[in-house]
Amino acid sequence: MRIVDLRSDTVTLPTPAMREAIYRAEVGDDVFGEDPTVNRLEEMAAERMGKEAALYVASGTMGNLVALLTHCGRGDEFIVGHLAHTFLYEAGGSAALGGVHPRTVPNQPDGTLDLADVEAAIRAENVHFPRSRLICLENTHNRCGGAALTPEHTKAVCQLAQWHGLAVHLDGARIFNAAVALGVDVKELVRDVDSVQFCLSKGLSAPVGSVVCGDEEFIYQAWRNRKIVGGGMRQAGIIAAAGIVALEQMVDRLAEDHANARRLAEGLAEIPGLALDLDRVQTNIVIFELVSERLTPAELAAKLGERGVRLLAIEGRRLRAVTHYGIEADDIEVALAVVREVIDQL
Ligand code: TLP
């Protein structure tokens, strides 16, 4: 049976060039700062993002956590969209490990935050209140269907933050998808933020790892916090080598994933019993709704899975499909045919 795994771009397998780079990687003890491959990846990442320095971490979750711990102290507050990954899906790490209090404001359907909501959430100095320290953005926005935030929106949020003496962290797990979709250099999307985390292990297909970027002082403190959370990884060049290949070879091809996602979305939109807003499909994530009440989204996902098409039921009546390296145009046709067949049989 042909398997079309659209659950996430995290299922991507390393490319042959990555396996070769892993095999040949020069390594050393990264906790002593002596792994040449990690050092090279960090330099490349900082350069790509237009930031002074970078830190290799084990995962996107670790990257966001380390950044939050670096920006905020115990009892401080960060302002974040109510659908943000950092708020919904990171096991409450900032509160559990840092005593950092999240304050949510509504995410708009396009992943943005309303500036008036953000401003209203910034606390005045008062003994009763936590101290507002940080605003957290997400680009692309996972739960908002892979929406790409524009440089203008990011800049506006950063200006507001600056007026109030707050920092901005960007969860840029899929920042290269945003850059490719918007046709801008990734630097444009991160210029105004104080820190950014991006993932090598999603659309860029490396097996492991993320990078946090910011200024020298921030990265020095983040390096200490990475140690605290047990993220000093010794001969990490073994995995960082694949990250270098990811940055060198896997960015431009994200456009293929976006084209496949569009084709998938167009096909799904034609199937009775499903609903989706095509204007919302900008990158490699397709979120659609099961309108037909003959079965639940989890039951639909299970039935599709039995026929080799894997996707995720998320909250409410919604399901998510993600395109990535390893999914070709004809896999999309197979997936659509299977969805049609299952829905027809209801
Ligand atoms: N997202 C995963 C799951 O956790 C839901 C996925 O399949 O999309 N920020 C964003 C925006 C993410 O989407 C993710 C992973 C992370 C951070 C965390 O990255 P990892 O999984 O490397 O810890």
Side-chain angles (χ1 to χ4, degrees):
M1 184 171 54
R2 178 137 159 203
I3 303 293
V4 182
D5 194 344
L6 301 169
R7 286 172 301 166
S8 181
D9 46 10
T10 58
V11 303
T12 43
L13 299 177
T15 65
M18 287 178 189
R19 290 186 185 273
E20 183 67 23
I22 288 168
Y23 178 68
R24 298 197 181 282
E26 253 188 278
V27 295
D29 191 331
D30 182 49
V31 176
F32 289 116
E34 289 173 5
D35 188 302
T37 308
V38 171
N39 292 343
R40 186 156 160 248
L41 171 63
E42 290 175 344
E43 275 164 31
M44 276 177 71
E47 198 279 317
R48 279 291 188 103
M49 295 289 148
K51 299 290 178 198
E52 285 175 15
L55 182 73
Y56 185 49
V57 291
S59 66
T61 302
M62 185 184 279
N64 288 330
L65 175 63
V66 159
L68 283 161
L69 294 178
T70 306
H71 286 294
C72 304
R74 299 190 75 78
D76 287 345
E77 190 167 73
F78 74 107
I79 297 168
V80 63
H82 76 302
L83 296 175
H85 198 276
T86 40
F87 179 63
L88 288 180
Y89 298 122
E90 297 184 9
S94 61
L97 301 181
V100 185
H101 194 243
R103 169 90 180 266
T104 58
V105 294
N107 270 117
Q108 303 304 307
D110 63 358
T112 60
L113 302 178
D114 187 311
L115 293 186
D117 291 339
V118 176
E119 190 151 34
I122 298 172
R123 312 267 192 177
E125 176 58 30
N126 182 311
V127 71
H128 299 89
F129 298 158
R131 285 199 163 119
S132 307
R133 284 279 181 227
L134 179 72
I135 301 170
C136 200
L137 292 175
E138 184 175 317
N139 196 8
T140 64
H141 201 291
N142 183 346
R143 274 285 304 275
C144 293
L149 267 49
T150 61
E152 293 73 28
H153 179 68
T154 311
K155 192 185 175 96
V157 172
C158 291
Q159 259 169 5
L160 180 66
Q162 246 180 8
W163 290 331
H164 292 273
L166 270 61
V168 176
H169 170 68
L170 175 62
D171 176 359
R174 297 184 179 84
I175 194 69
F176 286 104
N177 293 84
V180 168
L182 297 170
V184 298
D185 188 312
V186 72
K187 290 188 185 78
E188 301 288 317
L189 296 172
V190 306
R191 175 161 292 135
D192 304 300
V193 303
D194 298 277
S195 59
V196 54
Q197 173 284 124
F198 71 91
C199 293
L200 297 158
S201 63
K202 299 199 164 60
L204 301 186
S205 309
V208 187
S210 286
V211 189
V212 183
C213 303
D215 67 24
E216 296 274 2
E217 170 59 21
F218 176 84
I219 293 299
Y220 176 77
Q221 296 301 336
W223 176 61
R224 293 188 60 87
N225 284 323
R226 185 185 70 173
K227 187 70 187 152
I228 289 174
V229 298
M233 291 190 287
R234 308 297 177 187
Q235 285 75 34
I238 292 287
I239 47 177
I244 292 174
V245 177
L247 278 180
E248 284 174 344
Q249 301 181 4
M250 301 299 282
V251 173
D252 294 341
R253 64 152 306 286
L254 293 173
E256 286 172 41
D257 300 341
H258 299 175
N260 285 334
R262 171 126 301 261
R263 171 67 201 120
L264 178 67
E266 285 166 358
L268 291 172
E270 283 168 9
I271 298 176
L274 303 182
L276 75 88
D277 183 352
L278 282 174
D279 291 340
R280 291 261 165 265
V281 181
Q282 275 184 284
T283 59
N284 68 329
I285 297 181
V286 180
I287 292 183
F288 62 99
E289 206 170 310
L290 176 61
V291 185
S292 162
E293 298 214 343
R294 293 208 204 122
L295 78 180
T296 66
E299 285 163 350
L300 175 60
K303 277 185 188 293
L304 295 172
E306 285 163 17
R307 290 166 175 78
V309 175
R310 298 182 182 158
L311 36 75
L312 291 181
I314 51 174
E315 95 306 323
R317 303 289 305 166
R318 305 201 304 160
L319 294 107
R320 185 187 82 159
V322 185
T323 57
H324 50 81
Y325 171 70
I327 297 294
E328 308 294 336
D330 56 343
D331 291 307
I332 300 299
E333 300 312 321
V334 169
L336 285 171
V338 170
V339 178
R340 261 184 231 115
E341 189 187 297
V342 168
I343 299 269
D344 277 354
Q345 283 169 6
L346 292 181

